[in-house]
Amino acid sequence: MSNGKIILHLCADIGSDSEPYRGGGYEVICVGEKEDVRKFQPPPNVYGIIANPPCTMFSFARTNAKKPRDLRQGMELVEACLRIIWECQYRIVSDVQKYSPLKFWVLENPDAMLRWFLGKPAMVYNPYEFGERYQKRTCLWGHFKEPKKNPIELTADEKAKAKVNSQPLPKFDYMKSKDIAPEWFGKLSRQDRRSICSPKFAQAFFEANP
């Protein structure tokens, strides 16, 4: 049963970031490729917004792409997400209102060129800081309560590697394909599975921003 609180999940075809809200009884509206976030108009009384604009044009890992990098094109969906966030923020009910109409909003992207446009993120995290056994440095911009980090305990082997390597856990880009979101292996492409949010981080964010 829905609790009546609406969560918009923008640029979401899988919806991994918003899964805890869905499971918690929130009404989650996913605006994916078919809906076209550039044309989407938010409903009234939006509670929170999660935005995941594609990182294709911003990623530093983009080294063998057939299509030239086009930052203007990459910013189209970022701007569309911000437009929706701003549209919800405009909906104040009083001239002297001191609280945001949104309980929270967050825009996520890997740590790369989007910094050039949005500036310093509100938070930067790696999945291992929330219990996963891999690295994927991720930036969050927005207005939200920062979830508490709970880094994993390294194994003896990882501690031994750490003595000669400051990064004992594997980087996401170097992980074997079957180890990236294994529950979706064979169902989604490697690229699509790369975009799936760490379930443990998603849960931590939900608990900090209910």
Side-chain angles (χ1 to χ4, degrees), residues 4-8 27 29 40-49 84 87-89 91 93 101-102:
K5 296 176 179 178
I6 297 174
I7 303 295
L8 294 185
E27 179 184 350
I29 300 175
F40 182 78
Q41 293 299 322
N45 301 320
V46 174
Y47 184 79
I49 297 179
I84 292 170
E87 183 64 35
C88 292
Q89 299 282 36
R91 297 170 178 174
V93 297
L102 291 173

Side-chain angles (χ1 to χ4, degrees), residues 62-78:
R62 181 187 173 89
T63 55
N64 297 313
K66 296 180 180 179
K67 185 178 180 180
R69 190 189 298 273
D70 187 338
L71 295 177
R72 190 181 300 276
Q73 178 183 334
M75 282 301 293
E76 284 185 6
L77 296 183
V78 176

Side-chain angles (χ1 to χ4, degrees), residues 115-168:
R115 276 180 178 259
W116 300 358
F117 298 88
L118 300 186
K120 184 178 179 179
M123 177 181 177
V124 180
Y125 78 92
N126 262 293
Y128 71 78
E129 295 174 308
F130 292 91
E132 306 286 2
R133 305 206 77 85
Y134 67 90
Q135 301 179 78
K136 183 185 177 186
R137 189 171 168 84
T138 302
C139 293
L140 302 177
W141 291 266
H143 181 70
F144 55 87
K145 292 182 179 178
E146 187 170 328
K148 184 178 180 180
K149 295 180 178 181
N150 185 25
I152 61 171
E153 179 68 26
L154 297 181
T155 65
D157 182 56
E158 288 166 343
K159 287 180 180 179
K161 291 180 180 179
K163 293 180 180 179
V164 293
N165 181 355
S166 61
Q167 299 178 335

Side-chain angles (χ1 to χ4, degrees), residues 71-100:
L71 295 177
R72 190 181 300 276
Q73 178 183 334
M75 282 301 293
E76 284 185 6
L77 296 183
V78 176
E79 290 174 350
C81 291
L82 291 174
R83 173 189 63 79
I84 292 170
I85 292 166
W86 296 338
E87 183 64 35
C88 292
Q89 299 282 36
Y90 295 146
R91 297 170 178 174
I92 57 174
V93 297
S94 167
D95 286 348
V96 295
Q97 183 171 327
K98 294 183 179 181
Y99 59 89
S100 167

Side-chain angles (χ1 to χ4, degrees), residues 31-41 77 80 83-84:
V31 184
E33 186 175 355
K34 293 181 180 179
E35 289 79 16
D36 192 348
V37 70
R38 293 168 295 184
K39 300 177 181 178
F40 182 78
Q41 293 299 322
L77 296 183
R83 173 189 63 79
I84 292 170

